[in-house]
Amino acid sequence: MAASKKAVLGPLVGAVDQGTSSTRFLVFNSKTAELLSHHQVEIKQEFPREGWVEQDPKEILHSVYECIEKTCEKLGQLNIDISNIKAIGVSNQRETTVVWDKLTGEPLYNAVVWLDLRTQSTVESLSKRIPGNNNFVKSKTGLPLSTYFSAVKLRWLLDNVREVQKAVEEKRALFGTIDSWLIWSLTGGVNGGVHCTDVTNASRTMLFNIHSLEWDKQLCEFFGIPMEILPNVRSSSEIYGLMKAGALEGVPISGCLGDQSAALVGQMCFQNGQAKNTYGTGCFLLCNTGHKCVFSDHGLLTTVAYKLGRDKPVYYALEGSVAIAGAVIRWLRDNLGIIKTSEEIEKLAKEVGTSYGCYFVPAFSGLYAPYWEPSARGIICGLTQFTNKCHIAFAALEAVCFQTREILDAMNRDCGIPLSHLQVDGGMTSNKILMQLQADILYIPVVKPSMPETTALGAAMAAGAAEGVGVWSLEPEDLSAVTMERFEPQINAEESEIRYSTWKKAVMKSMGWVTTQSPESGIP
């Protein structure tokens, strides 16, 4: 891509996209939304025990600095002046919980990742204390009581990690989701770092009232969380602080959105009823419900979609969350070794073109929407002597599509208006077999933007549109048209239904697997 200085029109905006399996930094042209350059680093996940998932917060922070430096070098090679970067947005894996020491800047324990299951007994004991006729947790937060959200992870850290207890007692502890940890560190850390989060991330903690848009005293008391360790809640688009180090020192950080909200913005789903599905480590289908909170009767979450400015209105979304999507491919690669790279799965699946009656339910972390069944575990069923690794690869891809279908069905029932097509994004959408399968299983067209990095794009849009930056217009007439690729259903509806009902049979078999919870103890 030959580019001279003249090639860049208008200001640029950077976006940190800190996901579960990788960190990226991407730079966009704010006038055309064109992606100019990016760099990506894979992040290690640690599994210290069965069901535990952790990451090193310092490794995450270093990966962000590395991605920024490397992207700036690449821009230099393209003769693009990095002083054109006017703002930075942050998008992050949500719910993942970090507690750190504000005096030393050191994390007090590993980040407890959203997928982690260690809090199952915490959830069980807390749920006994919620009155059946008044589930104040769900009515205030829009969320079911689950291992998924930050409050129970934070409760576990307070109960089990002496360093965390001590830091809280001595008023040294700060809590945050990954966005808060990054923004605090990037804006100076121990030297005046800004301790904040945005409404979308706050709405995933179970401590935030999604109606009043404030931390909720009753919820904090219920979970036993001291309010002074919580970050300040801001809108998703405003200047939080300036970068204090590295190639982009002095550039404002002015956008912050949980990754799924960022993808909703990046897909331009600004109208009531517009929806997108992101295929990452998990799979997340969000439908914009406008200014009103819609509560689900079918296992979906009610969440804050975005609030693009301090004085701008808040938008809500219904969300269907699937824990394991891309993670199943990583599992086939790292645990079973049947592929060496994630891209190979498409080749294997293509060889057979069918799962040959093999079904894979990847309930590695229990089942999320629409079941919320923590006792489920992964199963592969329908095996015969004929089954080989190609069929298992195909079944893994099908599993992602079936899980999406379950959520879409729930969403159609809640919203009353069936979606006519599905907008998709995320790393897995480059897999053409997966996209075609998805269209076949949903029996509606699947529509994919030619630039799949919509999560980063959403964070960049929020940052560039912030008051005091003003380089990105979010007016509908100014948003650049996106070229789309369409996948139309190619099998008949009857065949699609048969496959789906067999899948549902497999899901039933995956449930109730863990009968007695293994006792939780402190750190080994």
Side-chain angles (χ1 to χ4, degrees):
M1 189 176 130
S4 63
K5 275 224 168 76
K6 296 188 291 293
V8 177
L9 310 161
L12 312 180
V13 179
V16 172
D17 178 3
Q18 206 299 299
T20 318
S21 49
S22 70
T23 298
R24 290 183 286 209
F25 184 68
L26 305 92
V27 173
F28 296 92
N29 178 332
S30 68
K31 295 287 175 262
T32 62
E34 180 197 355
L35 173 60
L36 297 175
S37 188
H38 72 287
H39 188 77
Q40 177 168 354
V41 173
E42 197 168 291
I43 299 286
K44 281 201 287 291
Q45 294 180 24
E46 296 169 31
F47 306 99
R49 290 192 188 182
E50 177 63 38
W52 292 28
V53 190
E54 297 180 0
Q55 289 177 328
D56 176 355
K58 291 177 78 172
E59 184 197 341
I60 290 175
L61 179 60
H62 291 317
S63 72
V64 169
Y65 278 120
E66 183 184 339
C67 288
I68 290 174
E69 297 303 312
K70 290 279 199 307
T71 304
C72 288
E73 283 169 26
K74 289 177 185 178
L75 289 169
Q77 289 159 8
L78 296 167
N79 290 328
I80 295 170
D81 188 347
I82 60 172
S83 67
N84 285 318
I85 298 175
K86 300 303 181 198
I88 294 169
V90 174
S91 135
N92 56 290
Q93 49 169 315
R94 305 169 302 169
E95 301 92 19
T96 296
T97 299
V98 189
V99 181
W100 67 96
D101 184 321
K102 67 178 171 194
L103 303 181
T104 65
E106 290 294 311
L108 297 164
Y109 189 75
N110 269 343
V112 180
V113 177
W114 57 277
L115 283 164
D116 187 280
L117 289 175
R118 76 188 66 184
T119 51
Q120 190 46 44
S121 66
T122 313
V123 167
E124 282 163 16
S125 61
L126 285 166
S127 56
K128 293 191 179 89
R129 293 173 35 212
I130 297 179
N133 58 350
N134 171 24
N135 187 342
F136 65 92
V137 176
K138 185 156 191 213
S139 60
K140 285 174 184 249
T141 66
L143 310 172
L145 192 55
S146 158
T147 58
Y148 181 20
F149 307 107
S150 315
V152 287
K153 301 179 194 300
L154 184 50
R155 182 66 259 153
W156 186 92
L157 290 167
L158 291 166
D159 289 338
N160 293 282
V161 183
R162 183 64 197 123
E163 285 81 0
V164 172
Q165 296 161 352
K166 204 158 169 294
V168 169
E169 286 157 19
E170 294 170 9
K171 308 253 182 276
R172 293 181 284 113
L174 296 179
F175 152 79
T177 40
I178 296 293
D179 56 303
S180 301
W181 162 243
L182 292 178
I183 291 173
W184 184 83
S185 303
L186 296 172
T187 56
V190 293
N191 301 312
V194 178
H195 188 217
C196 69
T197 187
D198 88 301
V199 287
T200 67
N201 281 296
S203 78
R204 312 299 292 190
T205 59
M206 279 202 129
L207 301 169
F208 184 72
N209 187 314
I210 60 174
H211 311 285
S212 67
L213 302 184
E214 291 172 329
W215 297 121
D216 190 286
K217 199 161 176 292
Q218 186 189 8
L219 290 169
C220 290
E221 280 166 8
F222 175 71
F223 289 105
I225 306 295
M227 291 183 83
E228 65 271 14
I229 71 173
L230 303 178
N232 289 320
V233 183
R234 316 268 288 265
S235 77
S236 313
S237 174
E238 58 180 88
I239 295 175
Y240 313 109
L242 306 181
M243 288 285 287
K244 284 292 191 289
L248 298 179
E249 191 176 336
V251 177
I253 299 176
S254 53
C256 177
L257 289 154
D259 51 10
Q260 303 313 322
S261 287
L264 195 73
V265 171
Q267 283 267 32
M268 326 279 176
C269 295
F270 294 127
Q271 303 296 316
N272 194 338
Q274 284 186 298
K276 66 89 207 168
N277 195 28
T278 299
Y279 298 75
T281 297
C283 225
F284 301 90
L285 180 58
L286 269 71
C287 180
N288 188 331
T289 62
H291 302 306
K292 62 175 190 296
C293 286
V294 175
F295 284 88
S296 170
D297 298 320
H298 303 99
L300 303 180
L301 312 176
T302 306
T303 200
V304 175
Y306 51 83
K307 182 182 187 320
L308 295 174
R310 218 174 299 187
D311 308 318
K312 296 284 196 294
V314 65
Y315 281 75
Y316 295 95
L318 268 178
E319 170 174 337
S321 329
V322 166
I324 304 289
V328 74
I329 314 301
R330 194 168 171 161
W331 181 83
L332 290 174
R333 184 192 76 185
D334 297 349
N335 294 33
L336 290 197
I338 69 171
I339 49 174
K340 285 196 176 62
T341 66
S342 301
E343 290 70 41
E344 271 176 53
I345 188 142
E346 190 170 0
K347 216 160 73 223
L348 286 187
K350 198 172 182 172
E351 266 177 51
V352 285
T354 170
S355 70
Y356 209 79
C358 167
Y359 287 82
F360 190 158
V361 183
F364 301 157
S365 298
L367 287 166
Y368 285 12
Y371 303 102
W372 299 102
E373 185 46 76
S375 72
R377 285 297 175 273
I379 61 166
I380 302 177
C381 54
L383 302 175
T384 66
Q385 282 172 314
F386 184 71
T387 311
N388 63 30
K389 65 181 183 181
C390 299
H391 300 119
I392 290 173
F394 195 95
L397 294 181
E398 255 189 335
V400 175
C401 301
F402 286 132
Q403 292 182 106
T404 299
R405 164 85 192 259
E406 292 193 293
I407 296 174
L408 196 75
D409 285 357
M411 205 159 269
N412 287 339
R413 288 201 292 272
D414 277 325
C415 295
I417 311 159
L419 289 180
S420 58
H421 64 274
L422 182 63
Q423 284 176 238
V424 300
D425 58 78
M428 292 182 85
T429 59
S430 58
N431 184 325
K432 288 199 171 6
I433 298 237
L434 179 75
M435 293 296 93
Q436 186 55 54
L437 262 176
Q438 189 66 85
D440 289 347
I441 286 165
L442 296 178
Y443 216 66
I444 56 173
V446 166
V447 181
K448 173 194 158 200
S450 55
M451 201 280 298
E453 302 293 352
T454 48
T455 301
L457 178 61
M461 289 164 67
E467 194 182 330
V469 178
V471 298
W472 205 304
S473 166
L474 297 182
E475 295 304 320
E477 63 274 13
D478 296 331
L479 291 170
S480 38
V482 183
T483 50
M484 297 285 192
E485 189 177 354
R486 272 175 87 90
F487 295 85
E488 301 283 346
Q490 287 178 356
I491 64 172
N492 64 39
E494 193 183 352
E495 189 187 336
S496 181
E497 287 310 311
I498 292 167
R499 274 154 68 174
Y500 183 49
S501 60
T502 315
W503 154 262
K504 279 184 126 48
K505 211 159 79 181
V507 171
M508 290 307 149
K509 294 200 185 321
S510 77
M511 289 190 196
W513 207 256
V514 184
T515 42
T516 51
Q517 276 303 325
S518 50
E520 280 174 26
S521 54
I523 288 96

